[in-house]
Amino acid sequence: MKQYECLNQWACAQDFSEICMSCRFCSPGLPSDVTIQVQEMSFHLHKFPLVARSRRLARILNEAPTQKDDQGFNVTLHDIPGGADAFELAASFCYGFHFELTSSNVVRALCAAEYLEMYEDLGEGNLKATAEEFLNEVVLHNFRECVLALRSCEAVLPYAEALGIITSCIDAAASMVCIDYSNLEWPMLHSPGGSLLWNGISTGAMPKKACSDWWYEDLTVLPLAFIEKIIRAVEARGMKPQCIAGAVMCFAKKHLSALNNRWQGVCTQSNNMELRSSEGEQKHMLETIESMLPTEKGILPTNFLSALLRSAIILNANPDCKGRLEKRIGLQLEQATLKDLLLPNMSYNSETLYDIDRVQRIFEHFLLLDQSTEGLVSPSSVQDGMMSPPPLTPLMIVARLADEYLAEVAPDVNLKLSKFLSVAEVLPEYSRITDDGLYRAIDIFLKARPWLKEKEREQLCRIMDCQKLSLEACTHAAQNERLPLRVVVQVLFFEQLQLRTAIANCFMMSDTSRALQNQSIVNGLLGAPSSDSMKGLDSFTNLHAGAEHEDQTLKMDMDDMRLRMCELEKECSGMRAELQKLGKMKGHRRLMAVLMGRKFRAQLCRARGMVFQNRTGSGGKKPSPAHSSGFRHRRSSSVS
């Protein structure tokens, strides 16, 4: 007790006085007899308050009298955790100065107390016990306080880890994060319509439920190593993968410069060590972020995964990291857009602007998926008596995306024909509803390479099915001088088949309408009373006579149409024979193709006009294109 009573003589000093930037003096009225050097800071103190609280300082001062000179003891403590700031906290506690423990300095105070051996056996309420109590009672019960404490652990990392401070803070933070707040309502949140009192009585405001992403932004102030430990801890506690993905995305968007398009590229000067260090840190951060991402499909947006892969290419991340990102994108490729596939080519052995090989691997990863359930075309649904077309499957969506990608990379003259064909053929033929997009990509490829030979043009056009071209695409292809002559003939032939299909559908629809009309009349006769049976019979006879007259007229028109079709087939056969004779004359071949296309299209237009005239009849309304064509449903696409 006498020992603590003597401490009152230092009560006149309230704090350390600063003489210069590197000196601290305690002036309670007595000259200092101990000088402690901590890194670049010198503390001029007194022996008695230090040895009363610190066993390590007492051992040093008592067991090393040789260090004493005329001005007192000189002690060096360069290895104290937390440096001069931590020692100043410990010295203030020894002198009884007033200072406030916070979540930012409690870790340094605890590590310094452990280093200086400020235990309870030297006196009740010593620094270590006081700091531990504050940590357990205040810091570990508040998420933001835990985050600030973890952030301060970076400066005293080995000591904080040895004392278990990091583990305690991470466990506490993970436990608070994993609480399911969806079933809790907090009365302190209110709406503009009123407020909630302390006892829960509502005055017009609806209590607002806490969001599951409230901790994302707070987590971004921590170092990457602590982020990884917290993510592993919450994952072990069963947190939803969506929440984990959101936290990792928030951290990546704030700290990964390449992800935000702020990366300045590879170092250009050999002596720029700072930029090289930054590049290495960014590369390590990206690889660590990728390893923390959940593996479930569809949790992460495809554009975020694409941005990560683009950053990995720029930073030259390890091949395993880039390969896993490619697989992640391939698993949900139907959610991607064209911009997501425009990946830069950073290799030195290729001259193309975009990385074609990497995109092809992404398409191959998509094809490895089990399409047994997702790839099947669902049957058409009937709504209000109309058949609605089946929805697009993921394979069809990806096929459309592949056509858009081919059209985007086609103008690059460094893109080889074999590489273009490999990307176009990576998806099966049945994945495309229509080949309009593929024809557009082929046309752009041919337009950028007028030097291609005829065989190469024919090899390129083999990947396109002329039967899947729309009428607009057929019209454009028939006039396209860049296409081989064989392809132009095929386009004209299949356009003729489409016309014949339209005529057949016209017959079928007229027969169906007559059958339905007769059936309705018969049903009306069967359900009419006996007194009106004769009137119904007369009306039936008149309608039947009119139907027979209309049938005869339609048959005559169809006979004329058959004669026209026979003439068209003969002309087409004659033109093919003439083209075979002129096969060696390249200049005449192109001229004949153009003339044949113009003549044949004029005849087709006259034939279509006859079809519409026969179907509409005199004074009738023109049917809608959906009923007149009889073609299967396909999406419209513009052909340039």
Side-chain angles (χ1 to χ4, degrees):
M1 293 299 298
K2 183 178 180 180
Q3 177 180 1
Y4 298 111
E5 292 174 357
C6 295
L7 289 176
N8 293 330
Q9 62 179 320
W10 314 103
C12 58
Q14 299 298 323
D15 200 349
F16 288 103
S17 60
E18 181 178 351
I19 303 300
C20 62
M21 294 297 295
S22 59
C23 296
R24 294 289 189 274
F25 284 84
C26 180
S27 54
L30 298 175
S32 62
D33 55 356
V34 176
T35 302
I36 298 179
Q37 185 74 25
V38 181
Q39 296 175 353
E40 297 180 356
M41 185 71 67
S42 298
F43 293 88
H44 300 272
L45 307 174
H46 304 85
K47 177 180 178 181
F48 181 73
L50 299 179
V51 299
R53 291 291 190 178
S54 172
R55 181 177 299 168
R56 185 185 185 96
L57 291 177
R59 184 169 60 252
I60 292 175
L61 296 176
N62 293 331
E63 296 178 1
T66 57
Q67 297 180 359
K68 185 175 182 181
D69 55 13
D70 296 339
Q71 296 181 354
F73 292 93
N74 293 320
V75 181
T76 302
L77 298 176
H78 291 314
D79 56 345
I80 183 172
D85 294 337
F87 181 77
E88 185 173 351
L89 289 175
S92 299
F93 185 85
C94 291
Y95 278 88
F97 295 161
H98 174 74
F99 72 96
E100 182 181 1
L101 283 175
T102 64
S103 56
S104 300
N105 64 14
V106 65
V107 176
R108 287 180 296 168
L110 188 57
C111 293
E114 178 66 25
Y115 176 85
L116 296 174
E117 301 177 12
M118 302 175 70
Y119 301 140
E120 285 291 289
D121 55 351
L122 295 179
E124 185 178 357
N126 210 342
L127 181 58
K128 185 179 180 181
T130 303
E132 286 180 346
E133 182 181 2
F134 181 83
L135 181 70
N136 296 327
E137 299 296 331
V138 178
V139 176
L140 297 184
H141 291 278
N142 186 283
F143 179 79
R144 289 182 175 84
E145 301 295 331
C146 279
V147 169
L148 293 176
L150 280 173
R151 187 179 182 182
S152 64
C153 289
E154 191 176 10
V156 290
L157 189 59
Y159 295 93
E161 191 171 0
L163 292 175
I165 301 175
I166 296 178
T167 303
S168 300
C169 291
I170 288 176
D171 292 341
S175 300
M176 287 182 281
V177 165
C178 290
I179 296 176
D180 188 6
Y181 289 95
S182 60
N183 297 325
L184 300 177
E185 294 181 351
W186 302 95
M188 63 280 220
L189 300 178
H190 60 85
S191 63
S195 60
L196 290 176
L197 302 179
W198 63 270
N199 56 1
I201 299 177
S202 176
T203 62
M206 294 300 296
K208 184 179 179 180
K209 293 186 177 181
C211 300
S212 59
D213 58 350
W214 57 270
W215 54 284
Y216 292 175
E217 192 66 28
D218 295 331
L219 211 65
T220 57
V221 301
L222 293 178
L224 180 62
F226 293 159
I227 293 287
E228 186 177 8
K229 291 182 179 180
I230 291 179
I231 293 298
R232 303 303 179 198
V234 298
E235 186 178 7
R237 285 170 169 79
M239 172 167 279
K240 296 179 180 179
Q242 292 85 348
C243 297
I244 297 177
V248 177
M249 284 178 57
C250 185
F251 179 83
K253 290 178 180 178
K254 187 172 183 178
H255 293 279
L256 199 58
S257 301
L259 193 65
N260 298 324
N261 297 324
R262 295 194 303 265
W263 183 253
Q264 300 298 328
V266 186
C267 179
T268 57
Q269 299 180 1
S270 58
N271 58 353
N272 195 344
M273 299 302 296
E274 182 179 358
L275 187 57
R276 286 185 177 181
S277 176
S278 177
E279 180 183 352
E281 292 175 358
Q282 289 280 298
K283 177 181 175 181
H284 173 69
M285 182 180 297
L286 187 143
E287 293 172 353
T288 306
I289 288 173
E290 189 277 329
S291 65
M292 292 189 295
L293 294 175
T295 58
E296 288 79 1
K297 174 186 174 182
I299 293 179
L300 292 161
T302 309
N303 56 359
F304 174 75
L305 294 175
S306 176
L308 278 182
L309 180 56
R310 190 178 292 107
S311 303
I313 295 172
I314 295 174
L315 296 172
N316 194 21
N318 62 69
D320 293 337
C321 176
K322 290 184 284 189
R324 288 190 295 268
L325 287 173
E326 292 173 8
K327 187 175 181 180
R328 290 175 184 270
I329 297 174
L331 293 178
Q332 54 189 56
L333 189 57
E334 68 275 8
Q335 303 174 8
T337 60
L338 175 61
K339 184 179 179 181
D340 299 333
L341 297 182
L342 299 179
L343 304 173
N345 192 355
M346 305 295 292
S347 61
Y348 297 100
N349 56 357
S350 181
E351 298 178 353
T352 56
L353 179 62
Y354 299 111
D355 198 336
I356 311 297
D357 296 331
R358 197 177 304 276
V359 174
Q360 183 177 353
R361 289 196 297 268
I362 292 175
F363 282 113
E364 291 173 354
H365 285 307
F366 172 78
L367 290 178
L368 292 177
L369 289 175
D370 183 14
Q371 297 291 334
S372 58
T373 56
E374 297 183 5
L376 294 178
V377 179
S378 60
S380 302
S381 58
V382 180
Q383 295 180 356
D384 299 332
M386 298 295 294
M387 293 291 292
S388 61
L392 294 177
T393 63
L395 185 60
M396 297 176 183
I397 297 175
V398 172
R400 180 188 298 177
L401 179 63
D403 294 343
E404 294 177 358
Y405 180 78
L406 289 173
E408 183 68 25
V409 301
D412 190 353
V413 294
N414 295 320
L415 177 61
K416 304 300 181 183
L417 176 61
S418 58
K419 187 60 62 179
F420 184 89
L421 293 176
S422 62
V423 177
E425 295 174 348
V426 69
L427 297 176
E429 184 180 357
Y430 61 85
S431 62
R432 292 182 173 89
I433 303 177
T434 174
D435 277 6
D436 286 6
L438 188 58
Y439 166 68
R440 178 174 177 267
I442 292 174
D443 185 43
I444 295 174
F445 189 87
L446 291 175
K447 185 176 180 180
R449 297 161 182 82
W451 58 82
L452 286 180
K453 300 178 181 179
E454 192 73 13
K455 290 184 178 179
E456 294 175 336
R457 294 172 183 268
E458 292 181 357
Q459 181 184 2
L460 176 63
C461 293
R462 285 195 196 103
I463 62 177
M464 177 181 61
D465 188 358
C466 297
Q467 300 184 61
K468 292 184 178 181
L469 295 179
S470 63
L471 291 176
E472 294 82 2
C474 288
T475 304
H476 187 278
Q479 300 176 358
N480 194 346
E481 297 181 356
R482 292 182 288 271
L483 294 179
L485 186 58
R486 184 187 301 273
V487 177
V488 175
V489 174
Q490 288 180 358
V491 169
L492 293 173
F493 175 73
F494 288 117
E495 192 173 11
Q496 180 185 8
L497 289 182
Q498 290 181 4
L499 179 60
R500 298 183 67 178
T501 304
I503 296 173
N505 289 334
C506 180
F507 275 114
M508 183 179 63
M509 293 181 65
S510 62
D511 294 340
T512 304
S513 62
R514 267 200 318 275
L516 292 175
Q517 185 179 9
N518 295 336
Q519 183 67 29
S520 62
I521 294 174
V522 172
N523 292 337
L525 291 175
L526 293 177
S530 58
S531 60
D532 298 335
S533 60
M534 294 304 295
K535 294 181 181 180
L537 183 59
D538 292 339
S539 62
F540 173 75
T541 303
N542 295 332
L543 290 174
H544 184 66
E548 287 182 352
H549 178 70
E550 184 180 355
D551 189 23
Q552 292 295 332
T553 305
L554 186 60
K555 286 181 179 180
M556 293 175 63
D557 294 337
M558 291 300 105
D559 291 338
D560 294 338
M561 187 60 61
R562 288 193 186 95
L563 293 176
R564 290 180 179 272
M565 289 301 302
C566 292
E567 293 176 0
L568 290 175
E569 290 177 356
K570 290 179 181 180
E571 291 182 7
C572 186
S573 300
M575 285 187 289
R576 287 179 186 172
E578 292 177 3
L579 290 174
Q580 291 177 357
K581 293 178 182 180
L582 298 176
K584 297 181 180 180
M585 302 173 63
K586 296 183 178 180
H588 291 78
R589 177 185 304 179
R590 183 60 59 189
L591 181 59
M592 288 299 297
V594 176
L595 293 177
M596 179 188 67
R598 293 177 180 175
K599 181 178 180 181
F600 196 68
R601 282 193 304 275
Q603 294 175 352
L604 289 176
C605 292
R606 290 196 300 269
R608 291 194 187 102
M610 289 296 301
V611 173
F612 291 135
Q613 183 179 359
N614 294 331
R615 292 183 55 195
T616 55
S618 59
K621 295 182 179 179
K622 186 176 179 179
S624 62
H627 295 284
S628 64
S629 63
F631 301 153
R632 60 185 174 183
H633 172 75
R634 53 179 173 263
R635 65 181 179 87
S636 63
S637 89
S638 59
V639 180
S640 62

